[in-house]
Amino acid sequence: MAGLTRRELLAAGTAGSLALALRGLVPRAGSVAGVATAPVPLPVYSTVADLYRAAWRWDRVVRGTHLRANCFGACSFDLFVKDGVVWREEQADVYERPDVDRPDYAPRGCQKGACYSDLMVSPDRVTHPLERVGPRGSGRWRRISWEQALTRLADAILDAIEAGGPETVIFDNGTSNVDDGPDSLGEMRLFSLLGATLLDGFGGTGDLAMGAFQTWGTSFVDGSSDDWMRSDTLIFWHCNPVSTRIPDFHFATEARYRGAEVITVAPDYSPTATHASLWVNPLPASDAALALGLARSIIERGAVDEAYVREQTDLPFLVRDDTGRFLRQSDLVPGGRDDVFYVWDLAGDRISEAPGTRGSEDSSVELGDLHPALVGRFEVAAAAGPLAVRPMMERLRERLGDYTSDRVAEITGVSAALQERLAARLAGSRRTLIYASWGSNKQYHADLLQRSLILLSALRGQQGRSGSGVRFAAWLPLEGGNTLLPGTGLSWLQRQVLRFYTPPPRVIEDAIAAASQQVMTWTPSHLFLHAHAGIDEIQDSDARDAALPRPAREYLREALDRGWMKVRPAADRPPRVFVASGVNPLRRWPLPQVVEAELWPKLELITVIDFRMSTTALKADLVLPAAGYYEKQGIKYVVALSPYVIVGDRAVEPLGEARGEWKIMSLLAEHIQQRARERGVAGPAASLLDQFSDGGRWGTDSEAAILDHILRESAATRGVGWEEARRAGAIRLRSVGAWGTTSGVGSETEPGGTFSPSRLHVEGRRPWPTLTGRQQFYLDHPWFEEGDEVLPRWKPLPGAGGAHPILLSGGHTRWSIHAIWRAHTGLLRLQRGGPIVWMSAADARERGIRDGERVRIWNDHGEFEIAAKVASGLAAGQALVYHAWEPYQFPGWRGNMEVVSSPYKPLHFAGDYGHLRYRMFCAGPVHVPRGVPVQIERLSRPLEAAGAGPVGDPSVLARRSYELESSSSGSSANSKIGGDSPVR
Ligand code: SF4
């Protein structure tokens, strides 16, 4: 090996020999087709012990993490680097040891993170800029230089700006490629400065907890996972944290040791159900009825926390008998306000204005001497004469009266006895915590479920108390990064003021909602697809909520006409350039076969920035290689579950010609500016680099300076700089931080160390950012009246996809973060090796399907083929395909989204009603991939004939590999990407 550095050795394609020798004791010659190999002497080992020792020597250890993987883990890892290669990683013990009565956060990690050093050099790693030379999706590429790639992209962007305006340039980073460091900031900065359309991927991935938003005015509500320890009853409702919150689930186990009862509510006997002391299995999409039945029982048992309900909810607010609407000031006085509301004060036996509502002069919900009635009928003198009014609680009682034990049993399949057992537990539990997570968002009527869960919790006075309440997800802000985001509209002086003054949540929410409409260029990705990707027609002919009197399209048109929603670019301006960074829309979007047929031809250039060859990349025009997680510096986004900011240092240089996203954006800004000036294109493009770099302050290599800036300017990490952070790997939060774009936590850490959300409202009595200033269960918006959803209720799914007997659902998988690890051979060996559908034994028997056989799944929209896993944990009529198989892993590349039309729910467009409005990342149309009616039938063809092999079978890899023509950049040509990938 004399004269060869380790990296040179890898580049020569011979590292695989050594790596395999080390790992498997099987030396092999460099054998990848098309790669020139040089004879390299193998190391001399005398015994197996030598191999073992060699494997446990390293040059250095670097603190890293999985920077842009969209997991809720945030785990620090020690990366062991030898000869310029990360050979392995280990969970780093960088967490504090709190009190003896509370478990700590060490260790944190999961099996995906523990094999990222392998994934980063896997066969589908992209290492050089690639340009398509055959038709889209043909798999024929040539390697080009960065200069060629960036010039082509810059010119395409300028062409689009000239032809249709900057909004015809579309940028999508979904939610699976976001961090708190320079990379995400750089992408959002560049495309915002350009005036491009940024797709709001929260709704597009089904991550909008609309019911939480409708009730609380925010959906970003969560606490730390060690706070689970403080609950008496811990309910995992519609989520599966054993698979999806791997680093945190131990807190549930430890809570159980402390005496908490752990309950799972899920249709299937999920991995989490196996750890519960009670598994309640309502039929799919029926559980809002269960929650409402439990709420009825809580009231009938006299277990309502009335003091809490009077102050913290809209249940005492007076509602007119004649119109069914809240009594408003405008009813009482000519010219009165529509956002001032009333209660009946039992202390004074008179009507009284409720404090803290949107139109109130009080900035607190504190009742003082008021004692609002929860029952009764009263008469008030209105401008037009006397009006009969009742507290809203009375109407709630009437509605809940519909959810008797028998009716709930009929809807949910949960017996009356089991309902009673659960209700008794909730009525007696001081601290009940319902963890619902994002899994509860992904069905058509998910908002009704969430409203029902929050109601159940509020009746017991739980939200805002330690170890209690309902939680979904929240990110903790590193507001130091905001200064790099255009569109915040804040001057230096305003930012300084905000360091010492925290505006109330309602003011912040109003500002974000206004910016979402007027300043930012985000558009809900679902609306974008309806306007430009051909799924609009399907929506109208497909799903229809029977309770709505008008077709969905009419609600959308009205929302657009009234300015409640906006779609960019407008329907008559076709999108021209699409840039996706790290995301995989042809895997995620509904009906990808329709999107590909309708949208793809409109796009003059499709560019994917990624470190791996996804299905979308395979069907793009230009692929730009992004640096892997261990090849750059950054900050993992900060989740409420873990009170640490986790950072990742660069362990090795980017593989091949890969680059970090900040660098790519900086260079792209330079190319756009240069080409704009050469072509005489005016506007932001002509000064893009000047703006992007802030007059030269942030250069192409400024990542470390930006990281330092973010950390020093953020309350959570104040006083810590990048140098200190990168050595430590983790910084204990100094502050939970302010309310903001993705945080509605509204709490600080408690003296005991954990934190629970919403204490700002409950202990601090600050109004919730809703119209009524309360947890608002009554939405008397005209559209909600039309849909009979003024109060929470249960509704059946609209049946998008046709009348078919099996409801197909899913869940996030344990084995991948979205599609990132889906093709990792090592992890696939721990599963069935490829896509599978879990189906019940009864359904399988009825169709003559045996375990492992291939089946065809179809409905009115499409079909796909997959292997069956016959599972006893599912009831008849249910089927599950866990999340994020790549379409290329299915025969004909037809993935499981081909049956998912994901209709929008028209009520989600409602506006002109306090907090009901479009708000980026928080409210809007939601992707609903679960609960899809399908039919399943046995395929008679054997596995091989169906075109899919088991994982590890070369045929699988061959279908996702791609061929390179001679490189225009002069590099040696490879016939397979694996030929240039160093295999360990
Ligand atoms: Fe933790 Fe996410 Fe990495 Fe897994 S992938 S170890 S959950 S940071």
Side-chain angles (χ1 to χ4, degrees), residues 65-66 69 71 73-75 77 109-110 112-113 247 636 817 821:
T65 186
H66 311 106
C71 59
C75 315
F77 271 70
C110 77
K112 281 89 69 185
K636 181 89 182 154
I817 310 292
W821 276 263

Side-chain angles (χ1 to χ4, degrees), residues 912-980:
D912 273 350
Y913 184 94
H915 62 292
L916 297 189
R917 58 198 167 186
Y918 171 63
R919 196 286 218 182
M920 65 183 198
F921 308 163
C922 206
V926 194
H927 180 34
V928 285
R930 299 190 188 159
V932 179
V934 295
Q935 180 56 282
I936 303 180
E937 65 185 14
R938 183 169 174 269
L939 270 179
S940 50
R941 275 174 295 156
L943 190 73
E944 295 73 24
V951 169
D953 178 334
S955 69
V956 173
L957 292 177
R959 282 183 294 114
R960 75 164 191 266
S961 67
Y962 49 91
E963 297 194 358
L964 289 175
E965 291 197 341
S966 295
S967 163
S968 65
S969 60
S971 309
S972 63
N974 295 319
S975 63
K976 297 281 187 287
I977 188 172
D980 201 40

Side-chain angles (χ1 to χ4, degrees), residues 619-668:
K619 294 187 176 184
D621 304 316
L622 203 54
V623 180
L624 305 181
Y629 305 145
Y630 297 165
E631 298 162 2
K632 55 190 176 184
Q633 299 174 320
I635 305 172
K636 181 89 182 154
Y637 64 46
V638 189
V639 290
L641 288 173
S642 168
Y644 291 89
V645 176
I646 303 295
V647 307
D649 198 2
R650 179 170 45 246
V652 293
E653 291 302 315
L655 206 58
E657 293 180 8
R659 287 171 170 168
E661 288 84 350
W662 169 269
K663 261 188 197 30
I664 297 173
M665 291 301 116
S666 179
L667 292 167
L668 180 59

